[in-house]
């Protein structure tokens, strides 16, 4: 069944809070952070190739029997490898890793700017719709009072039927504007829900004064 929803959900969050929610809840941020971490690990690996490789090893043996004493043999060593003729290849890999980091950072900045733009547009839409609701509420209340006065004047013979009809029509237009503002407000809240990745409106609705 279609319900006549006349109450506007409460919303009191700041723009900074909404942007922080987007950082906390949008999956795109986690994806780009993982990509940045992966590219930085690749850069660290490329830098490590310029360092010498140190390999340590050892072995041990035991010899003994009934006719001879126990003998223990141990051997160990450390090997250091340093490639001297791969400088060009290693520098190429290093520059490639740095380019991947820069590309990942640029992609992350693009994603962050896009999400921030979505949040700001939805937030501005909420503020504009709330102003429209406040304005239309005032117009509805004035229209009701004006219609009440004109009906009383019509009963006293001081106003015509046309005056009453005009007042009713003005009240109808004011209510129509209120519902349009309410619709835009809920649409902006839904857009903000998507932009931040979490519900934006509080659970308790505000009291409507324009019924």
């Amino acid at each position: 069944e279609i319900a006549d929803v006349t109450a506007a959900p409460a919303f009191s969050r700041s723009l900074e809070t909404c942007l922080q929610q987007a950082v906390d809840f949008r999956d795109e941020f986690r994806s780009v952070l993982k990509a940045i971490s992966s590219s930085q690990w690749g850069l660290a690996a490329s830098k490590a190739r310029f360092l010498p490789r140190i390999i340590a090893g050892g072995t041990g043996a035991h010899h003994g029997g009934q006719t001879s004493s126990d003998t223990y043999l141990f051997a160990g060593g450390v090997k250091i490898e340093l490639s001297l003729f791969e400088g060009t290849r290693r520098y190429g890999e290093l520059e490639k890793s740095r380019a991947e980091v820069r590309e990942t950072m640029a992609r992350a900045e693009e994603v962050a700017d896009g999400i921030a733009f979505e949040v700001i547009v939805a937030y501005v839409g909420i503020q504009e719709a709330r102003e429209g609701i406040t304005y239309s509420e005032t117009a509805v209340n004035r229209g009701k009072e004006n219609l009440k006065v004109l009906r009383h004047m019509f009963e006293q013979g001081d106003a015509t039927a046309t005056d009453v009809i005009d007042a009713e029509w003005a009240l109808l237009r004011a209510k129509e504007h209120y519902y349009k503002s309410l619709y835009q407000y809920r649409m902006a809240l839904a857009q903000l829900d998507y932009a931040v990745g979490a519900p934006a409106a509080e659970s308790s609705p505000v009291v409507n004064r324009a019924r």
Side-chain angles (χ1 to χ4, degrees):
E1 297 181 359
I2 298 177
D4 186 15
V5 179
T6 59
F11 179 82
S12 59
R13 299 177 187 176
S14 64
L15 178 59
E16 291 76 10
T17 301
C18 294
L19 291 172
Q20 184 60 48
Q21 282 184 325
V23 174
D24 296 336
F25 293 105
R26 287 291 292 264
D27 294 333
E28 294 90 331
F29 275 111
R30 287 189 285 270
S31 298
V32 296
L33 288 177
K34 290 180 180 179
I36 292 173
S37 178
S38 177
S39 63
Q40 289 177 341
W41 276 108
L43 178 59
S46 298
K47 292 180 178 179
R49 293 189 181 96
F50 287 86
L51 302 176
R53 295 178 59 191
I54 301 176
I55 303 173
T59 184
H62 168 257
H63 176 73
Q66 295 180 353
T67 60
S68 61
S69 60
D70 293 336
T71 303
Y72 296 93
L73 301 175
F74 297 97
V78 177
K79 182 175 72 171
I80 300 177
E81 294 181 356
L82 180 61
S83 300
L84 299 177
F85 303 102
E86 297 182 359
T88 303
R89 181 177 64 84
R90 286 180 295 179
Y91 274 110
E93 293 176 351
L94 179 61
E95 289 302 319
K96 179 181 178 182
S97 299
R98 287 174 175 170
E100 291 176 352
V101 172
R102 291 192 296 268
E103 181 183 0
T104 304
M105 294 295 293
R107 191 181 306 115
E109 185 176 356
E110 181 180 357
V111 171
D113 290 342
I115 294 177
F117 178 76
E118 293 175 359
V119 173
I120 293 173
V121 169
Y123 191 86
V124 172
I126 290 174
Q127 303 304 316
E128 292 179 352
R130 292 177 71 176
E131 292 178 0
I133 290 175
T134 302
Y135 171 79
S136 59
E137 281 180 343
T138 303
V140 168
N141 292 331
R142 290 179 179 176
K144 288 180 178 179
E145 293 296 328
N146 185 46
L147 179 60
K148 181 179 179 180
V149 171
L150 285 175
R151 283 177 176 174
H152 179 72
M153 293 176 61
F154 177 75
E155 293 174 356
Q156 300 296 324
D158 296 330
T160 64
T162 303
D163 296 332
V164 176
I165 293 174
D166 290 341
E168 291 176 344
W169 180 244
L171 177 59
L172 181 63
R173 289 199 304 269
K175 289 183 176 181
E176 180 183 6
H177 187 270
Y178 171 80
Y179 281 108
K180 286 183 178 180
S181 299
L182 181 61
Y183 172 78
Q184 293 174 356
Y185 179 62
R186 288 183 173 272
M187 285 293 296
L189 285 175
Q191 291 174 354
L192 187 61
D193 287 348
Y194 170 79
V196 303
E202 285 78 2
S203 57
S204 58
V206 298
V207 178
N208 174 43
R209 301 185 299 274
R211 294 183 180 180

